[in-house]
Amino acid sequence: MTTPALIDPQTQTCCSSLVHVPLGARQADDLSHRLKALADPTRLRLLSMIGARQGGEACVCDLTEPLDLSQPTISHHLKVLREAGLVTSRRRGTWVHYALVPEALERISAALAVTEHR
Amino acid sequence: MTTPALIDPQTQTCCSSLVHVPLGARQADDLSHRLKALADPTRLRLLSMIGARQGGEACVCDLTEPLDLSQPTISHHLKVLREAGLVTSRRRGTWVHYALVPEALERISAALAVTEHR
DNA sequence: TCTCTGGATCGACGATGGTCGATATACGCG
DNA sequence: CGCGTATATCGACCATCGTCGATCCAGAGA
């Protein structure tokens, strides 16, 4: 496969906005699940710190220190982000590097947009 | 003032994406608060049903029936959306009509977008 | 193999959130 | 004013979430 199954053709008609056609229960559950992953200040900052990093990657040690939270807590948040498809993790020797999945963020952004972009 | 204070110049540099510059604590709290209001399937469907309505308005009675939830629950969700600035309410005789605030959704969408739009 | 370090998992605890029934409030109409 | 209807608020209950310390697992190097 070229890309992981970011879009389920069964539940997701396309990437159109929710404000134009009423959302079904399935689609609402799916979108809310991804939004829940996003709706936490720590996770937003994690995404932001990973994205701001040149190369687009950051290891856990880089993320733990500036946030003033325990390492298990950071690890937990990264797991939530990973399971929502918002980041990927990759082992590099002793360290684990996390990277954004830009398409995932873009999909959510498009679902919330009122006016059509691009 | 021409527009309500949707953007706080103190905490919000502009409407740029979170993935380009690391988010501060204030900004992360602010954005996560708005995302929490969005991160519920019932509220997403409410927004969607209001937006899909021609005229952009819907009264509570229109929203309660199709969702198979009690009227107090719907009222609670609408309050959450209103306090997050995502909808406005307006009394019309006996009924209360809710309408979207497109700029609010657009702002959140822009904050999540990776690529710059428009 | 032993040890050290980075990260993940576990179990527990307090806080927050979604839902309901009961009740209160607002409006229109006799 | 009194009644009926449309919404909002209240109080309670159960589920989910964010956080922690303790512990476990994986890789690197001696």
Side-chain angles (χ1 to χ4, degrees):
Chain A
M1 64 181 76
T2 56
T3 54
L6 289 176
I7 298 181
D8 178 2
Q10 295 293 347
T11 60
Q12 196 77 16
T13 54
C14 115
C15 41
S16 72
S17 168
L18 63 88
V19 301
H20 295 126
V21 71
L23 230 50
R26 285 292 266 283
Q27 299 157 30
D29 281 344
D30 177 50
L31 181 53
S32 78
H33 178 256
R34 286 176 285 149
L35 283 169
K36 274 183 210 295
L38 232 38
D40 178 272
T42 300
R43 289 196 287 271
L44 287 176
R45 297 189 73 184
L46 285 172
L47 284 178
S48 178
M49 290 168 67
I50 296 172
R53 205 105 185 162
Q54 54 189 12
E57 283 194 4
C59 75
V60 180
C61 55
D62 293 327
L63 303 170
T64 304
E65 185 196 355
L67 287 181
D68 199 41
L69 287 170
S70 72
Q71 175 269 321
T73 298
I74 299 297
S75 209
H76 162 71
H77 285 305
L78 288 170
K79 182 180 182 181
V80 173
L81 290 173
R82 181 162 31 86
E83 289 180 340
L86 293 166
V87 301
T88 55
S89 65
R90 178 186 170 190
R91 187 137 217 146
R92 286 201 171 190
T94 308
W95 296 272
V96 176
H97 288 247
Y98 282 80
L100 291 186
V101 179
E103 313 83 51
L105 272 173
E106 205 63 48
R107 266 226 300 156
I108 300 177
S109 173
L112 301 181
V114 179
T115 65
E116 302 294 342
H117 296 289
R118 66 178 57 105
Chain B
M1 64 182 78
T2 55
T3 52
L6 289 175
I7 299 181
D8 178 1
Q10 295 294 347
T11 60
Q12 195 81 14
T13 54
C14 110
C15 42
S16 71
S17 168
L18 63 89
V19 301
H20 296 127
V21 70
L23 232 48
R26 285 292 265 283
Q27 300 157 30
D29 282 343
D30 177 50
L31 181 53
S32 78
H33 178 255
R34 287 177 284 150
L35 283 170
K36 275 183 210 293
L38 232 38
D40 177 272
T42 300
R43 290 196 286 272
L44 287 176
R45 296 189 74 184
L46 285 172
L47 284 177
S48 178
M49 290 168 68
I50 296 172
R53 206 106 187 162
Q54 54 190 12
E57 283 193 3
C59 75
V60 181
C61 55
D62 293 327
L63 302 170
T64 304
E65 186 196 354
L67 286 181
D68 200 40
L69 287 171
S70 72
Q71 176 269 321
T73 298
I74 300 297
S75 210
H76 162 71
H77 285 305
L78 288 170
K79 181 180 182 180
V80 173
L81 291 173
R82 180 161 32 86
E83 289 180 341
L86 294 166
V87 301
T88 55
S89 64
R90 178 185 171 190
R91 185 135 220 148
R92 287 201 171 188
T94 308
W95 295 270
V96 176
H97 288 247
Y98 283 80
L100 291 187
V101 179
E103 311 85 53
L105 273 173
E106 205 63 48
R107 265 225 301 155
I108 300 177
S109 173
L112 301 181
V114 178
T115 65
E116 302 294 341
H117 297 290
R118 67 177 57 109

